[in-house]
Amino acid sequence: MASFDARPPSGVATLLPPAVYEATRARLAALADDGGAGARLRHALLRQSAITAGVMPPSQHVCLDRLVALRSPETLAAALGSPGKLAAALGLPPGEGDPEGQAGSAVRELWEFAASLDTPGRQALEVLIRRAVDPLRALATVPMSAFFSPAESRRLVELLHARGRQVQGLLGVTVIMKFTRLCNLRCSYCHDWRAEQDQRMSFDVLTAVLDRLFTAHRFVRIIWHGGEPLLLGAGGILKVLAAQAWLLPPAVEVSNSVQTNGTVLSSDLIRVLARHQVAVSVSMDGPPDVHDQTRRTAGGRGTADRVRRSIRELRGHELLSGVLVVVTPAVIRAGAERLLTFLREEGIGAVGLLPARPESRADGSVRGLCLPVDEYCRFLLQVHRIRDRMGDPRPRVRELDAVLGLLDGRPASFCELQGDCLGQYFSVEPNGDVAHCDKFVGDPGYTLGNLAVDDLTAVRGSARLSALRTADASRRVEMEQCPWYGLCRGWCPHEAYVSSATAQADGRDAPRDCCGLSPLFSALAAGRTTPHTGLARQATP
């Protein structure tokens, strides 16, 4: 990481002398330890604001351009974040004790300290707080050139200066970001990897995409996907996060999660992911002998042992959000009981079971392994029966538990069962091409524009997206008479896409009166007295 040069880009040059920051830290540390919430908060802020090697450049300068001054107890409380964050900083378990009362007392004591400081001291205190409670935004307290080249810094400044529009008020969006399509594996069923030289997202495309997302929504969920996104390395991930920090408006929230094959994880990557609260899901297709049949390196070597080590490391750092298993014939041959037993032995609490799906092609056809829907449903039912027989709900199975939740009257817990998803989820390629969901990439009919040049509002209002939504609405109308339509909402549009393409290839008509999940819903509903009665036939407007 380069040190900050003496000629920062015009407009982003408000620096705090490093001695002021260190003096403020020293004064905060010197306060008497009274044993109360105030002392606990001070110690937590000092501990959590410390810069650990590898998670923030060790710049001697402190940048103030993305901060707001601490002018009152209210601005201090806002800088400290939500009561939940403050309770966590105090080391209070959620819902235990009197966190709000203790937090209020701690904030008052901290404000007394802030009020005793001059303006530079208060600025230093805000930097310290930001680094403790909001690590991602805190990356903007390090001068730009610690992360970016002069040209990249100028690019950021230009975007910030050109930003005249306000946040549009749209609640949120989920974006699958293909920061790279490069991958070190060659999984037998995978069609997501690329080997060309231009398969990493450029800085110009990255910043254009982030700027358009952040200025149109109040919450942005970014799912890092690939290829293998961790091939960016710890430095590359920090650079992406720092770009987010500089471009993120104060009223906008962003979350980051990574889907990884688990083979390139390192201690540096773990430190960066943990520090910046990036959740990690790992792809692993069951027991080692099953996994190694399909998930091999480019050189043909199995990867199960390395992936299992990565999962243990991530779990030890409380970073593991779950595991994704692609249900292939090999997984089905191994059996549901063996899969569940293995996942429990590995300490995996949440899993997604994805049916193997083929590659979309430009002519609307598909190519590659495709697990029939009836086989997929039978496998999910086997998982359900075995889990019930074991008397243990672990691991949570995303697809299975989502259906059970719907039958119990709870809302859909993930996108495939929410209905009318077009326009709510997007996939962005390394060159900026934006499509509805990455499942359709390969068919240009689902590419909606390019966020390097197109405004997201224009993408959402495009004739192509409108036509896709109209076609999907027509598809769902045909299924309204299915007794489970009010719950399944027609399932995932990609399932209908694959069903149509495979039926055409086989010279038959695709079923239009059911998405394919009816056997699953019927079997799970049998014998249950739940709120699904009277809801199942309700159509989505």
Side-chain angles (χ1 to χ4, degrees), residues 103-449:
S105 174
V107 170
R108 285 193 296 274
E109 290 184 25
L110 190 60
W111 173 249
E112 291 174 4
F113 171 70
S116 71
L117 300 173
D118 57 13
T119 297
R122 289 191 195 180
Q123 292 172 329
L125 180 62
E126 186 181 353
V127 170
L128 188 153
I129 291 170
R130 180 64 56 84
R131 291 180 176 182
V133 303
D134 196 349
L136 189 144
R137 290 184 193 267
L139 290 172
T141 68
V142 178
M144 281 187 179
S145 61
F147 298 103
F148 313 118
S149 70
E152 291 169 341
S153 297
R154 286 192 294 273
R155 163 73 173 169
L156 281 171
V157 173
E158 289 168 0
L159 285 172
L160 291 169
H161 283 176
R163 184 182 283 177
R165 56 196 184 279
Q166 300 295 316
V167 174
Q168 297 299 308
L170 294 174
L171 182 58
V173 68
T174 296
V175 183
I176 301 167
M177 292 281 276
K178 306 284 188 176
F179 292 112
T180 179
R181 281 281 189 173
L182 298 175
C183 190
N184 59 321
L185 300 192
R186 295 295 181 266
C187 302
S188 61
Y189 51 75
C190 181
H191 42 78
D192 279 346
W193 64 273
R194 305 286 186 272
E196 295 84 358
Q197 291 297 313
D198 59 348
Q199 291 302 317
R200 288 179 184 265
M201 187 175 285
S202 71
F203 190 77
D204 282 358
V205 170
L206 168 69
T207 51
V209 171
L210 292 176
D211 187 53
R212 296 183 191 281
L213 292 173
F214 292 163
T215 54
H217 304 90
R218 297 193 179 280
F219 182 81
V220 178
R221 180 188 180 206
I222 298 177
I223 302 172
W224 299 44
H225 214 275
E228 173 47 51
L230 295 188
L231 287 177
L232 294 176
I237 289 175
L238 267 176
K239 188 171 186 175
V240 173
L241 294 173
Q244 291 183 19
W246 277 99
L247 292 171
L248 195 61
V252 178
E253 295 294 328
V254 63
S255 75
N256 290 277
S257 60
V258 169
Q259 182 64 42
T260 177
N261 63 36
T263 64
V264 296
L265 199 67
S266 65
S267 57
D268 286 344
L269 280 168
I270 286 178
R271 282 196 294 269
V272 170
L273 297 171
R275 170 67 178 173
H276 299 97
Q277 302 165 353
V278 179
V280 184
S281 178
V282 179
S283 298
M284 183 181 66
D285 290 350
D289 61 309
V290 180
H291 174 102
D292 283 344
Q293 290 181 48
T294 52
R295 300 190 65 83
R296 294 177 172 271
T297 67
R301 300 183 62 180
T303 59
D305 290 343
R306 181 67 190 98
V307 173
R308 292 170 74 188
R309 288 197 300 272
S310 293
I311 287 173
R312 292 171 189 144
E313 291 169 3
L314 290 167
R315 192 172 61 242
H317 288 83
E318 299 182 348
L319 286 172
L320 184 68
S321 62
V323 164
L324 288 184
V325 173
V326 175
V327 182
T328 61
V331 172
I332 290 177
R333 284 193 298 272
E337 183 165 5
R338 188 170 176 223
L339 175 63
L340 284 176
T341 300
F342 170 75
L343 293 172
R344 285 175 175 166
E345 289 173 348
E346 294 295 311
I348 294 166
V351 63
L353 298 179
L354 307 176
R357 287 294 175 259
E359 177 184 9
S360 303
R361 306 176 76 180
D363 60 0
S365 65
V366 293
R367 174 180 59 189
L369 178 63
C370 182
L371 185 75
V373 174
D374 57 345
E375 289 188 36
Y376 177 60
C377 288
R378 284 197 297 271
F379 186 75
L380 288 180
L381 288 171
Q382 290 171 10
V383 170
H384 174 65
R385 287 192 292 268
I386 291 167
R387 205 171 55 168
D388 269 4
R389 190 189 72 207
M390 292 178 171
D392 188 341
R394 298 172 301 168
R396 298 186 307 278
V397 179
R398 181 183 63 182
E399 292 76 8
L400 181 60
D401 292 338
V403 173
L404 292 170
L406 287 169
L407 291 170
D408 287 338
R410 297 191 296 274
S413 56
F414 80 117
C415 64
E416 292 185 6
L417 294 169
Q418 289 175 353
D420 194 21
C421 60
L422 283 94
Q424 299 182 51
Y425 299 85
F426 295 100
S427 174
V428 180
E429 290 293 299
N431 68 351
D433 281 350
V434 59
H436 167 66
C437 183
D438 66 327
K439 294 181 180 181
F440 293 95
V441 170
D443 184 341
Y446 286 81
T447 297
L448 308 173

Side-chain angles (χ1 to χ4, degrees), residues 85-98:
K85 283 186 178 180
L86 187 52
L90 293 172
L92 298 172
E96 186 172 306
D98 180 21

